[in-house]
Amino acid sequence: FRGQPALFLCSVCAVNYDAMDPAARPLLDELPLEEYHSNDGANAFADINAELDKMAPSKFQSLLEGHTMRTMTMPISVQEALAMQKMHRGHEGEEDIDEVRGLGDRLDEFLRENNFLDQDGEPCAFAKICDVSPKDVLGSSLEDILDTADKYAAEYTLDAKNITLQSLVYAKATHRPVELQPGASGILELLIRSERCMGDQGLEMKGYPHDPQPVELTLRDWLRMDPAFELRCFVNKDKLRGISQAGPMGVYGIHYPQLQQRRDEIREGALSFFSEIGPKLAPLSAGFMVPGRYVIDLYFDVGSGRWYVVELNPFITSFFGHLFQEDYHERWMVWDASEDDPVDFRVVEYTAGNVLDSVPSSWRDHLESSSDVYLSLIHI
């Protein structure tokens, strides 16, 4: 992958590059990148797609009954997915509009048949495509989420220097946007607007548009998840080795006093929960690229005291969005070499000074005029 002003390797290439003899490594600035090549996704990402398929909700939910959020998948055709991508890029024709309209009718029926309904009985679900969520567009408008954010801030009782930022991230994470009110048409609109879903994290990984493969929508009951208690966890040889505060909704480096306050409780709770679910996942993880090695996202619901499995991810695609990214390769090597070290739990001690770089642009003026104070990022 080529980025400006620097060159970046995709995750697979980075692993292979690091594994090479240093003397044999090519100089990155000498690689021939003058031409861009068409996406042959199914071939270029065959190993990753195969690993992702092994970790699809349909593969692990039956093993973890009672420990996951209700999730179902609905296959969509290549023509339907292509039409969605064309609409995202503004290249749609009448036939594409008709294709998406028909998909909306089919999705509405699926939602109603499977009781994906809100409190008013209208179709509603949290949706992904290629198991990628539209978090880049969900709740990105300040106007849409400000009322929820203000209510959160008014009810917040701990001493924090980032209440305004916390409240916006919470509102973004829990917001059911107006676009979802019509049901399926709103869900599809959200997915189509998302570059994550339509671009190189979603459909392009499946070869779109040059070598498209069948894909599916993943639908989950719409639940309010407090982003402070979403955790990214690292499993090696089927043992929980690392826990990190996550970066939900694409905003990273936030200090949560409520998480810090419960740090010991969360650590012990995660270990206890994993001791129950880990053995159930072991038969599945035995078939992974590296047997027994994967990344699992957990959520702790403070109100009920319950733990949930949100999703599984391949270790090879999970470099970013957590507090292990600076020493990611080294951690796996350490965990391979030493199996008895205590679990490494990392949380953010101070909100990052550059945190506004990752927030939606519509938030910036509001945050800059608030009383929030952001310091340098330190994890412990």
Side-chain angles (χ1 to χ4, degrees):
F1 292 81
R2 191 175 189 178
Q4 298 297 336
L7 178 145
F8 300 91
L9 296 176
C10 74
S11 56
V12 174
C13 292
V15 170
N16 292 336
Y17 184 83
D18 287 343
M20 294 176 67
D21 183 337
R25 291 175 182 168
L27 296 175
L28 296 187
D29 58 3
E30 294 181 0
L31 293 178
L33 293 173
E34 296 305 317
E35 296 181 7
Y36 290 87
H37 301 281
S38 62
N39 178 14
D40 61 350
N43 296 317
F45 300 108
D47 290 343
I48 291 178
N49 284 328
E51 194 77 348
L52 287 167
D53 182 64
K54 296 173 189 175
M55 301 184 187
S58 59
K59 302 294 174 60
F60 70 79
Q61 280 197 321
S62 62
L63 304 174
L64 302 176
E65 188 173 352
H67 297 307
T68 65
M69 300 170 186
R70 189 174 73 107
T71 305
M72 299 183 69
T73 57
M74 189 185 96
I76 67 175
S77 70
V78 166
Q79 291 74 23
E80 289 168 336
L82 277 169
M84 291 175 68
Q85 191 179 58
K86 287 180 182 178
M87 291 182 72
H88 173 74
R89 294 176 174 175
H91 299 155
E92 75 276 11
E94 286 299 323
E95 67 279 5
D96 300 308
I97 296 173
D98 290 341
E99 198 75 55
V100 171
R101 186 180 294 118
L103 172 59
D105 293 341
R106 193 159 63 85
L107 178 56
D108 249 331
E109 183 178 354
F110 183 92
L111 293 170
R112 293 183 185 279
E113 284 182 352
N114 293 285
N115 202 35
F116 283 100
L117 306 173
D118 63 14
Q119 64 271 21
D120 299 320
E122 294 298 321
C124 183
F126 181 78
K128 300 180 179 182
I129 189 168
C130 308
D131 209 30
V132 174
S133 73
K135 65 181 181 182
D136 53 328
V137 294
L138 182 65
S140 57
S141 168
L142 178 66
E143 182 180 357
D144 288 346
I145 64 174
L146 193 54
D147 287 347
T148 301
D150 287 346
K151 181 179 179 182
Y152 176 92
E155 296 175 353
Y156 192 86
T157 59
L158 298 178
D159 181 22
K161 299 182 183 298
N162 62 354
I163 295 175
T164 306
L165 176 60
Q166 275 200 58
S167 69
L168 291 178
V169 174
Y170 175 85
K172 178 177 171 67
T174 61
H175 178 58
R176 189 186 65 180
V178 174
E179 287 87 352
L180 283 184
Q181 290 305 316
S185 59
I187 292 173
L188 292 177
E189 179 185 343
L190 196 64
L191 295 171
I192 289 168
R193 285 169 48 203
S194 170
E195 176 60 26
R196 295 185 82 243
C197 294
M198 299 293 105
D200 61 5
Q201 296 184 52
L203 287 180
E204 288 182 14
M205 281 281 286
K206 296 293 186 179
Y208 287 75
H210 304 291
D211 182 26
Q213 307 298 308
V215 296
E216 61 188 14
L217 300 181
T218 303
L219 303 163
R220 191 182 75 206
D221 280 328
W222 193 280
L223 301 176
R224 290 187 178 273
M225 291 174 58
D226 186 339
F229 297 99
E230 292 186 48
L231 304 169
R232 175 144 286 197
C233 303
F234 305 86
V235 178
N236 197 54
K237 298 182 180 179
D238 290 313
K239 292 180 64 176
L240 181 60
R241 304 308 307 272
I243 305 173
S244 171
Q245 172 183 326
M249 296 292 108
V251 183
Y252 306 104
I254 303 176
H255 172 55
Y256 288 110
Q258 58 270 43
L259 177 61
Q260 179 72 37
Q261 186 181 65
R262 294 173 175 264
R263 182 173 179 166
D264 292 340
E265 174 191 351
I266 295 294
R267 181 201 301 269
E268 294 308 311
L271 283 166
S272 176
F273 182 61
F274 189 79
S275 70
E276 181 177 355
I277 64 168
K280 297 177 181 179
L281 289 171
L284 180 66
S285 71
F288 292 168
M289 184 182 295
V290 177
R293 179 184 288 187
Y294 56 97
V295 176
I296 182 170
D297 289 352
L298 303 181
Y299 175 67
F300 178 61
D301 183 68
V302 175
S304 65
R306 289 188 61 188
W307 284 88
Y308 294 91
V309 173
V310 179
E311 63 185 21
L312 304 185
N313 289 288
F315 82 96
I316 202 167
T317 64
S318 304
F319 286 73
F320 304 111
H322 52 76
L323 298 177
F324 287 87
Q325 64 187 46
E326 292 183 2
D327 59 343
Y328 193 70
H329 298 302
E330 291 82 355
R331 282 296 92 196
W332 293 110
M333 290 189 289
V334 169
W335 292 331
D336 268 339
S338 177
E339 299 185 28
D340 299 322
D341 289 347
V343 66
D344 187 354
F345 185 16
R346 299 182 181 183
V347 299
V348 175
E349 185 72 7
Y350 301 100
T351 297
N354 63 347
V355 68
L356 297 189
D357 293 345
S358 62
V359 304
S361 58
S362 67
W363 296 10
R364 288 192 68 102
D365 288 346
H366 183 70
L367 289 168
E368 288 172 349
S369 63
S370 74
S371 58
D372 282 9
V373 177
Y374 312 132
L375 304 174
S376 59
L377 176 63
I378 302 174
H379 62 72
I380 60 174

